[in-house]
């Protein structure tokens, strides 16, 4: 029998207890042993009692778990940085294998966790930390290990995907849909990290570290959220053949430099990720041998996330049975530079309000031309006042040059307001 110490019996922790019980026979067959929750660390005992966990198995003291020689695996599902980090490190130092779903922690403190796991020759698995129930961490480390990964593009936050889908399909108001996402339990307790892009940034930091074998932390990720996306932008995106998605993008160029960013993007309506709607997540990977692969599913929720956690537990039990633990440790054996967003080359959508009189368009085109920004598409919508809405899409250009143009334009009297600047993504799939 393999015994587990479970830290946290909240949404995911309860799901893990239920799944281990529901599929106990199949899990025992597949892993090679019976898996039993020996002890649970939880502040609120009632959560555990409601699941049928005996009172003597519930504790408030981490020492009862990390110092228990009968426990082989510690499953951390309390979330946050501390005390989760200390608890995991303590467990590893006691020779326990660890499973976690804690993206916040791995995205900032991954190095120390992996080094400690390595030092103590224990397994450290974290499939549920990215994309909830979607298998992506293990596939990148194992099934795709023969590839050079060129890019990973994800829709990694269910809350924002739900908001954008509802705004797009039904023209609904941002705040109303956010409140609904919170009520449905998709959003984090504080939804700021969802809508600001931070949650997706943590997840892409984890995926890019694995994909490019070089440690990427949260601080390396350029982040913009969806709070400035308006119904007008969504309407123009449709008109121009795009959808707006919050994308988490990681790419490695020919020179071995990495770019990692999270921002809303215009995505061609025929791109595979454009069909990923509502609370679903997806990760689109391009490898030099496999080509394009897409992993799709539920990125959050009790049972989808428990599915990933239990998969990790089973893998550790298999390793225990065959004495093969610590086989796949830290895969960050290189140090690649992460380039600044200013060095990005992309196409851009720009929406601005300008004076509606002869020569204005020429003046604006002149500023772009002086800064090496080439215009691909222009749409002008007349208005009832003496201003017009101007929608432009640029050819591929360096971000710094676009920013320089916008600074000049903001200082011109013919430009009332630059409302939106959104990058395009996925327009050159055949070329990559
Ligand atoms: P919950 O808040 O539902 O559960 C956490 C539980 O741990 C709570 O019951 C909490 O008690 C308890 N807890 C927290 N700190 C301590 C402590 N120091 N001692 C004892 N008990 C403690 O969180 P989730 O289950 O939603 O999330 C768990 C992890 O999974 C997080 O890292 C999260 O990011 C990750 N995750 C969650 C997903 C989801 O869909 N929910 C999806 C993917 C990943 P109390 O309520 O009293 O604070
Ligand atoms: N709040 C997250 C989301 C779920 O909306 O995707 C867990 O990562």
């Amino acid at each position: 029998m393999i015994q587990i110490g479970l830290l946290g019996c909240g949404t995911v922790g309860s799901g893990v207890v239920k799944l281990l019980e529901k599929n106990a026979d199949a899990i025992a067959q597949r892993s090679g042993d019976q898996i039993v929750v020996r002890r649970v660390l939880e502040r609120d005992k009632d959560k555990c009692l409601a699941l049928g966990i005996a009172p003597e198995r519930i504790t408030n003291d981490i020492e009862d778990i990390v110092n228990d020689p009968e426990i082989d695996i510690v499953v951390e599902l309390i979330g946050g940085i501390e005390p989760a980090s200390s608890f995991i490190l303590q467990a590893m130092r006691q020779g326990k294998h660890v499973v976690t779903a804690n993206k916040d922690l791995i995205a900032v403190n991954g190095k120390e966790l992996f080094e400690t796991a390595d030092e103590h020759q224990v397994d450290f698995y974290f499939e549920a930390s990215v994309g909830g129930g979607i298998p992506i961490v293990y596939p990148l480390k194992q099934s795709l290990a023969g590839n050079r990964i060129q890019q990973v593009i994800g829709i990694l936050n269910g809350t924002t995907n739900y908001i954008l889908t509802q705004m797009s399909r039904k023209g609904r108001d941002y705040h109303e849909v956010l409140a609904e996402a919170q009520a449905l339990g998709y959003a984090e307790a504080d939804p700021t990290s969802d809508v600001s892009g931070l949650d997706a940034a943590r997840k892409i930091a984890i995926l890019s570290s694995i994909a490019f074998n070089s440690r990427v932390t949260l601080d390396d990720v350029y982040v913009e959220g969806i709070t400035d996306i308006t119904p007008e932008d969504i309407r123009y995106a449709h008109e121009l053949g795009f959808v707006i998605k919050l994308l988490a993008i990681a790419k490695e160029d020919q020179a071995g430099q990495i770019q990692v960013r999270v921002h809303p993007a215009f995505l061609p309506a025929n791109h595979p990720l454009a069909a990923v709607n509502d609370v679903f997540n997806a990760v689109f990977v391009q490898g030099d041998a496999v080509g394009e692969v897409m992993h799709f599913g539920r990125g959050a929720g009790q049972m989808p996330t428990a599915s990933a956690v239990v998969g990790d537990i089973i893998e550790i039990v298999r390793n225990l049975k065959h004495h093969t633990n610590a086989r796949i440790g830290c895969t960050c054996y290189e140090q690649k530079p992460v380039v600044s967003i200013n060095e990005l080359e992309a196409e851009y959508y720009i929406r601005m309000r300008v004076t509606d009189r002869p020569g204005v368009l020429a003046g604006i085109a002149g500023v772009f031309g002086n800064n090496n920004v080439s215009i691909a598409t222009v749409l002008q919508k007349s208005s009832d006042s003496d201003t017009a809405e101007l929608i432009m899409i640029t050819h591929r250009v360096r971000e710094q040059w676009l920013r320089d143009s916008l600074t000049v334009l903001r200082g011109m009297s013919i430009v009332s307001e630059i409302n939106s600047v959104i990058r395009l993504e996925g327009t050159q799939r055949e070329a990559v």
Side-chain angles (χ1 to χ4, degrees):
M1 183 197 298
I2 301 294
Q3 307 206 67
I4 287 176
L6 178 63
L7 315 186
C9 203
T11 306
V12 184
S14 302
V16 168
V17 173
K18 287 185 212 166
L19 189 56
L20 285 173
E21 201 174 291
K22 177 173 179 274
N23 293 340
D25 291 345
I27 289 171
Q29 294 266 339
R30 289 173 189 159
S31 65
D33 211 336
Q34 234 192 312
I35 302 173
V36 174
V37 177
R38 180 175 171 85
R39 194 150 278 150
V40 184
L41 177 89
E42 175 58 60
R43 277 196 284 248
D44 181 357
K45 279 193 175 189
D46 290 343
K47 287 183 188 167
C48 308
L49 296 172
L51 290 166
I53 296 167
E56 65 274 15
R57 293 190 181 275
I58 308 165
T59 179
N60 231 329
D61 185 355
I62 186 67
E63 304 295 331
D64 290 341
I65 291 179
V66 293
N67 292 328
D68 183 342
E70 299 298 321
I71 290 177
D72 287 304
I73 305 172
V74 169
V75 180
E76 184 278 305
L77 296 170
I78 60 176
I81 306 291
E82 281 297 352
S85 182
S86 306
F87 289 174
I88 291 178
L89 293 170
Q90 267 178 274
M92 287 175 174
R93 289 179 187 129
Q94 294 294 331
K96 318 261 182 239
H97 308 285
V98 173
V99 176
T100 183
N102 195 332
K103 65 229 161 192
D104 307 41
L105 181 55
I106 301 172
V108 296
N109 199 27
K111 189 167 184 289
E112 187 182 11
L113 296 171
F114 287 107
E115 283 175 358
T116 309
D118 228 25
E119 189 186 335
H120 295 274
Q121 287 293 288
V122 293
D123 284 332
F124 178 50
Y125 285 14
F126 51 96
E127 183 61 67
S129 65
V130 182
I134 306 174
I136 181 64
V137 170
Y138 199 70
L140 271 178
K141 285 197 172 201
Q142 176 117 340
S143 327
L144 296 171
N147 288 259
R148 278 210 170 272
I149 302 297
Q150 293 149 332
Q151 58 177 353
V152 177
I153 307 181
I155 293 177
L156 295 178
N157 182 268
T159 302
T160 46
N161 203 36
Y162 184 74
I163 293 172
L164 291 174
T165 306
Q166 291 294 316
M167 285 175 75
S168 170
R169 277 194 188 147
K170 301 183 182 160
R172 292 179 64 195
D173 173 69
Y174 168 84
H175 296 285
E176 176 196 317
V177 189
L178 172 59
E180 189 176 286
Q182 285 177 278
L184 289 167
Y186 303 149
E188 301 291 307
D190 174 2
T192 315
S193 64
D194 294 300
V195 298
S196 68
L198 203 59
D199 178 70
R202 292 181 175 120
K203 295 166 179 169
I204 197 68
I206 296 171
L207 289 187
S208 42
S209 299
I210 301 167
F212 307 131
N213 304 106
S214 179
R215 173 79 44 221
V216 174
T217 65
L218 183 58
D219 288 343
D220 296 319
V221 186
Y222 174 83
V223 193
E224 281 174 26
I226 64 160
T227 45
D228 293 333
I229 297 295
T230 65
E232 289 80 16
D233 296 320
I234 289 175
R235 218 179 42 242
Y236 286 129
H238 278 274
E239 200 173 321
L240 294 161
F242 295 89
V243 295
I244 300 182
K245 293 287 182 192
L246 182 71
L247 297 184
I249 301 166
K251 297 186 183 185
E252 181 178 348
D253 66 19
Q254 300 287 351
Q257 303 183 113
I258 303 172
Q259 47 167 275
V260 198
R261 50 197 163 97
V262 171
H263 54 73
F266 268 43
L267 193 68
N270 63 359
H271 191 285
L273 285 170
V276 177
N277 285 314
D278 288 316
V279 77
F280 282 94
N281 283 198
V283 189
F284 178 86
V285 180
Q286 186 176 331
D288 62 352
V290 74
E292 296 176 342
V293 179
M294 193 159 99
H295 305 243
F296 167 87
R298 292 188 183 275
Q302 182 174 68
M303 296 318 287
T305 311
S307 159
V309 172
V310 171
D312 281 351
I313 295 171
I314 291 173
E315 196 55 21
I316 293 176
V317 175
R318 287 175 177 150
N319 287 341
L320 282 165
K321 295 281 120 189
H322 295 94
H323 308 286
T324 52
N325 297 98
R327 212 166 31 93
I328 310 178
C330 180
T331 48
C332 292
Y333 50 80
E334 291 191 63
Q335 279 190 313
K336 296 177 182 170
V338 179
V339 294
S340 148
I341 191 73
N342 290 335
E343 290 180 46
L344 173 71
E345 285 195 5
E347 298 150 275
Y348 296 82
Y349 153 93
I350 304 153
R351 179 166 67 87
M352 62 177 104
R353 186 151 285 280
V354 298
T355 307
D356 197 2
R357 65 172 150 76
V360 166
L361 192 55
I364 290 167
V367 172
F368 280 129
N370 290 341
N371 287 282
N372 286 320
V373 179
S374 168
I375 308 296
T377 306
V378 181
L379 270 178
Q380 184 180 323
K381 302 281 177 177
S382 304
S383 75
D384 44 10
S385 66
D386 57 356
T387 63
E389 191 156 55
L390 208 57
I391 292 95
M392 295 181 155
I393 293 193
T394 71
H395 283 295
R396 211 168 169 77
V397 61
R398 183 175 278 242
E399 175 133 345
Q400 183 62 58
W401 297 345
L402 183 88
R403 286 178 187 235
D404 291 345
S405 317
L406 297 176
T407 304
V408 177
L409 289 172
R410 282 195 183 95
M412 291 170 75
S413 60
I414 52 170
V415 177
S416 316
E417 196 179 357
I418 296 176
N419 308 87
S420 312
V421 180
I422 302 176
R423 299 171 190 84
L424 272 59
E425 187 59 49
T427 54
Q428 304 184 343
R429 270 173 63 215
E430 292 77 16
V432 280

